[in-house]
Amino acid sequence: MKPLPRTMGALWLAALSLSVQAADLSFTQALQQAATQAAVLRQRQAEVAGATSAMVAADALPDPKVFAGIDNLPVQGADRFTLNRDFMTMQKIGVMQEIPNGERRQARAESAKARAAQAEAALRLAEVTVNTETATAWLNRYYLQQQRARLEELAQENRLWQGVVQSQLTSGKTSAADALLPQQEALTLATRRDALERDIRRADAMLARWTGDTGGPVTPTGEPPVFNVDADHLRAHVHHHPALAGYEPLTGLAQAELHEAQAALRPDWAVEVGWQHRGPDFGDMVSFQVSADLPLFSRTRQTPLIEARRQALAGVEAEREDMRRDHAATLESELAEHEALSRELDRLQQQALPLADQRVELQRAAYEGGRADLGMVLAARRDRRELQLQILELTRQQQTLAARLHYLYDFDEDAAP
């Protein structure tokens, strides 16, 4: 019988040595590191700062305009193109200030305030997303590491089985065909190891995505938090989903735009003051002028825009309700999945695992009493290892799902595990 390929064993030992050299990272450290390293948070923080700064100038008057020019310049006769011979010719300079009506300025201030609130809501959503993704990435990495250890134990069981089968083949107690079974099992385990190492590398990359580049893989340390799921509590807090929180400022922005469109029915004003200089034989003059918009054709200008803004507001409110229903449906689906995982885990831990332990003990007693061979004992132990691997995988799925439910629907720093 051929031994386990050396290259395959070398790869497995290399993977284990990498895990030993990896940096330690606890669950709390991962969340803290992500809070300072996640680039999306810096982006959202910059957007909040920009939107807050824009509020200062939102309802300010437009910049005044300066004007200069010449009035009544002669273009014919003896005085053509002269500036100081005709009493009507004047060089002028002045300033003009536009004054939007108060309702329009107030609406612009409301729009700026709503945009700042929208940026803050986007920041909160980003914070929850970073916490959610970091938590699930760390939990994935932790349970994959546990599976790696269990898989190595299973490989050790198979190596013991190979020795027993080889002895039985030598003594004529088994056939050559049966002697191939441990080798086939070794190949299956090698394939599972490759898939597991692939998943671990993916988990490392995802964890680095949120915590920043640490220069290499990390090793999750400490016990993972346990996220308990209270279905009724989550259903009552489905409207706390951070994506829904962003609709409140979005509604405020739509309302402010509607108010600004309605303000266009009232005139804006402008004030102009000028100094007019004439020739030395004539005195200088001052001019003063007030102008106002005339919204005389509101039926074809302002009214259609007002209706468009009103429909946009209704669309935002309908979109918010649609998203609420979508999250409610998603929550029910995830709760059903969590309940199914919990029931299956309970069966495996409370019933299947004790039966597997009992089977191992019975086979060991039978072996010691000469009623069974060692291969049967090892087979029972392999089955128990497989069951432990299955429990770890289901626990990984259950806890990552519970973490997502916690952070998305019921996140509270003080209540976090």
Side-chain angles (χ1 to χ4, degrees):
M1 182 182 66
K2 295 183 179 179
L4 196 64
R6 291 185 178 181
T7 55
M8 199 172 298
L11 288 174
W12 180 241
L13 290 175
L16 288 176
S17 65
L18 285 176
S19 68
V20 171
Q21 298 171 2
D24 292 342
L25 186 69
S26 69
F27 182 83
T28 302
Q29 289 172 336
L31 292 180
Q32 292 173 345
Q33 193 166 319
T36 59
Q37 297 297 323
V40 66
L41 294 182
R42 295 196 298 272
Q43 173 196 350
R44 298 305 183 196
Q45 289 163 356
E47 291 173 356
V48 169
T52 303
S53 179
M55 290 174 58
V56 178
D59 60 346
L61 291 175
D63 289 334
K65 297 178 182 179
V66 64
F67 62 86
I70 300 173
D71 285 344
N72 305 318
L73 178 67
V75 294
Q76 293 179 343
D79 296 336
R80 66 182 180 274
F81 301 118
T82 60
L83 299 175
N84 54 8
R85 294 181 184 177
D86 192 293
F87 75 97
M88 293 184 63
T89 302
M90 294 176 286
Q91 304 171 56
K92 65 178 181 180
I93 187 171
V95 293
M96 189 268 286
Q97 176 66 62
E98 294 179 347
I99 307 175
N101 67 70
E103 289 83 355
R104 186 189 296 273
R105 292 174 60 191
Q106 182 179 358
R108 290 175 178 173
E110 292 172 356
S111 294
K113 185 177 180 180
R115 289 189 177 92
Q118 191 174 13
E120 291 172 355
L123 174 59
R124 289 193 296 272
L125 175 59
E127 289 171 344
V128 171
T129 300
V130 168
N131 281 326
T132 303
E133 297 301 329
T134 303
T136 55
W138 189 94
L139 290 169
N140 269 324
R141 182 62 178 81
Y142 175 87
Y143 285 108
L144 287 172
Q145 178 176 284
Q146 299 300 308
Q147 290 181 46
R148 174 196 272 169
R150 295 295 181 271
L151 196 61
E152 176 57 24
E153 292 172 356
L154 193 59
Q156 178 62 27
E157 297 286 354
N158 189 65
R159 286 191 287 270
L160 292 174
W161 187 25
Q162 285 180 320
V164 171
V165 170
Q166 183 63 41
S167 299
Q168 291 177 340
L169 182 62
T170 303
S171 61
K173 294 181 179 180
T174 188
S175 66
D178 291 338
L180 297 177
L181 293 177
Q183 297 182 55
Q184 293 174 333
E185 180 70 12
L187 292 174
T188 301
L189 289 174
T191 300
R192 292 174 65 179
R193 280 197 298 266
D194 290 341
L196 184 60
E197 290 303 320
R198 175 203 63 201
D199 293 341
I200 288 175
R201 290 180 61 185
R202 288 176 176 175
D204 284 335
M206 185 56 66
L207 194 54
R209 158 76 173 84
W210 299 108
T211 60
D213 187 4
T214 59
V218 298
T219 299
T221 58
E223 291 299 318
V226 177
F227 292 92
N228 297 313
V229 174
D230 185 338
D232 292 335
H233 180 75
L234 291 177
R235 291 188 184 101
H237 289 75
V238 67
H239 57 283
H240 287 174
H241 195 287
L244 289 173
Y247 276 91
E248 184 174 349
L250 194 60
T251 300
L253 179 60
Q255 290 173 337
E257 291 176 345
L258 172 59
H259 294 162
E260 186 172 358
Q262 292 170 335
L265 293 172
R266 299 173 178 84
D268 292 333
W269 299 83
V271 179
E272 181 179 310
V273 178
W275 181 271
Q276 296 161 322
H277 176 69
R278 298 194 294 177
D281 297 332
F282 313 102
D284 291 345
M285 296 182 174
V286 174
S287 64
F288 178 80
Q289 178 176 301
V290 176
S291 61
D293 295 333
L294 295 177
L296 299 177
F297 305 100
S298 61
R299 187 174 180 181
T300 57
R301 295 179 181 175
Q302 287 82 10
T303 301
L305 181 58
I306 291 172
E307 181 59 24
R309 298 303 186 195
R310 185 175 286 112
Q311 293 301 322
L313 175 59
V316 170
E317 293 172 346
E319 183 180 0
R320 178 179 185 174
E321 175 59 19
D322 179 70
M323 180 167 284
R324 187 197 66 78
R325 295 180 184 182
D326 178 68
H327 285 304
T330 301
L331 175 61
E332 289 300 326
S333 175
E334 291 179 341
L335 285 174
E337 182 178 356
H338 184 270
E339 290 171 5
L341 288 170
S342 298
R343 286 194 297 269
E344 186 172 2
L345 263 175
D346 185 68
R347 283 194 298 271
L348 293 182
Q349 292 173 331
Q350 302 300 323
Q351 301 178 39
L353 190 57
L355 288 174
D357 291 338
Q358 185 179 2
R359 181 189 171 203
V360 169
E361 294 303 321
L362 290 174
Q363 291 289 2
R364 179 181 296 140
Y367 171 72
E368 292 173 352
R371 299 187 304 275
D373 57 35
L374 184 58
M376 298 175 67
V377 177
L378 294 176
R381 291 173 59 177
R382 282 201 323 274
D383 291 342
R384 183 175 59 182
R385 298 290 186 196
E386 286 284 2
L387 185 58
Q388 291 170 341
L389 274 171
Q390 186 180 358
I391 289 174
L392 276 174
E393 174 59 21
L394 290 176
T395 303
R396 182 188 69 83
Q397 295 178 26
Q398 182 207 44
Q399 284 302 297
T400 53
L401 178 56
R404 297 189 68 85
L405 292 171
H406 169 76
Y407 285 108
L408 289 177
Y409 294 97
D410 189 33
F411 178 66
D412 182 353
E413 289 284 358
D414 296 330

